[in-house]
Amino acid sequence: MSVLPLVFTSGWASGINAYAVVLLLGIFGATGLTDEVPASLQRTDVLIVAGVLFLCDSVADKIPYVDSVWDGVHTVIRPVSGAVVGALLAGQSGSLSDIAAGAVGGSTALASHFVKAGTRMAINTSPEPFSNIAMSTAEDLGVGGIVTFAMFNPQAAAIIAAVLLAVGLALLIYLWTRIRRFLRRRAQRREEKRLAAEVREATGAPPR
């Protein structure tokens, strides 16, 4: 079960930026920093594609509303990537079955993806773009830092990823409640204005 912490951490990171995870793992394996990375992730063509897609992700993720569309497209891609990376890592180490590792990586990636997408939807209720840029930059740095840390201390990195996932889910619940409350109040105000206009029209009262 020694590879399980790395599978969990890579799954969490894949839910935020799957291309960064593939790129980092491939670089770590190709440079000989670790022997946990399978050869399929170290191939030059895989690294090039992952690098290009990472750049595309980095740009799209910083543009308001475009980031939410990008998240929608990656609702399937990120969990699948987390599952595949987890299965490959398990196959390389032989300490965990591919199916179990794929399930852990995929489910963790799906959970962190929902946290990322939901948080970004909440941020997009703000008219300024700076919060999108700040959040995206923090996510990229966080993924890079934790995946790098996981190469040298996988257990501690997995604990950090688990804490971040739990905090993210709690924050998502909090933000979702606030967004729903805001939308309900806005709909109620519109309904009140509509009813007031109908009453004024029926009574012949001057518009206010």
Side-chain angles (χ1 to χ4, degrees):
M1 298 293 288
S2 61
V3 77
L4 183 58
L6 181 57
V7 169
F8 181 86
T9 303
S10 64
W12 171 84
S14 294
I16 299 174
N17 194 325
Y19 307 123
V21 173
V22 174
L23 181 62
L24 284 172
L25 291 178
I27 291 175
F28 291 144
T31 55
L33 290 177
T34 179
D35 56 1
E36 295 283 346
V37 179
S40 57
L41 294 179
Q42 303 177 33
R43 290 168 40 184
T44 302
D45 56 339
V46 172
L47 293 176
I48 292 175
V49 171
V52 172
L53 291 175
F54 169 72
L55 292 176
C56 294
D57 186 286
S58 181
V59 173
D61 202 45
K62 293 176 176 60
I63 304 174
Y65 299 105
V66 173
D67 54 359
S68 290
V69 174
W70 186 262
D71 286 338
V73 172
H74 285 74
T75 300
V76 175
I77 296 175
R78 287 170 183 159
V80 169
S81 178
V84 171
V85 169
L88 289 174
L89 291 173
Q92 177 74 4
S93 70
S95 61
L96 184 67
S97 73
D98 297 358
I99 296 177
V104 171
S107 59
T108 307
L110 181 62
S112 62
H113 165 75
F114 280 135
V115 170
K116 172 186 171 67
T119 304
R120 198 55 60 85
M121 288 175 62
I123 290 176
N124 280 333
T125 61
S126 173
E128 45 78 28
F130 305 107
S131 54
N132 299 74
I133 297 174
M135 179 61 72
S136 177
T137 302
E139 289 170 350
D140 291 342
L141 293 175
V143 166
I146 291 182
V147 171
T148 301
F149 185 49
M151 292 293 99
F152 306 99
N153 201 329
Q155 289 80 12
I159 292 174
I160 295 173
V163 171
L164 290 174
L165 181 59
V167 172
L169 290 172
L171 180 62
L172 180 60
I173 294 173
Y174 172 72
L175 292 175
W176 180 248
T177 301
R178 291 190 62 183
I179 292 172
R180 289 185 61 185
R181 188 183 305 124
F182 169 77
L183 293 175
R184 282 199 302 267
R185 281 203 294 258
R186 187 171 66 175
Q188 184 178 0
R189 286 196 298 267
R190 288 178 176 176
E191 183 65 15
E192 290 173 351
K193 289 181 180 179
R194 185 185 66 82
L195 292 175
E198 290 179 355
V199 170
R200 287 195 301 269
E201 183 178 353
T203 60
R208 298 173 58 185

